[in-house]
Amino acid sequence: MKLRIATAAVMIAAFVAPALAADEFYVVQDVKTKKCTVVDKKPTESSMTVVGPAGTVYKSRTEAETGMKTVKVCTSN
């Protein structure tokens, strides 16, 4: 019985963890093409840089897309 409860808890955690982490969106700019996009993970490679007011983390993709319209380097291209 304890094994079933432990297995169920692990399975629930496996499904809930990605959902909790998915509410972070970033406006990033490709260094070579200067094109801005919205991503759901903070970039770790040097070809993409976070742009926006002090590296703002947005709670939804829609909010990030709206924020991207206000970032000067994204609107000047």
Side-chain angles (χ1 to χ4, degrees):
M1 186 67 161
K2 289 181 183 181
L3 181 61
R4 286 186 181 176
I5 293 172
T7 302
V10 168
M11 290 180 67
I12 290 171
F15 287 111
V16 171
L20 294 175
D23 62 351
E24 291 185 350
F25 295 91
Y26 300 88
V27 177
V28 298
Q29 184 182 43
D30 187 305
V31 174
K32 293 179 183 175
T33 65
K34 305 294 185 200
K35 183 180 176 186
C36 294
T37 55
V38 175
V39 296
D40 59 354
K41 294 179 183 161
K42 190 170 184 176
T44 57
E45 55 192 58
S46 61
S47 65
M48 300 291 268
T49 57
V50 176
V51 294
T56 304
V57 178
Y58 298 96
K59 298 293 180 187
S60 71
R61 181 171 292 277
T62 306
E63 186 180 328
E65 289 170 351
T66 303
M68 184 168 64
K69 294 175 185 175
T70 64
V71 177
K72 188 173 183 176
V73 296
C74 295
T75 58
S76 63
N77 293 334

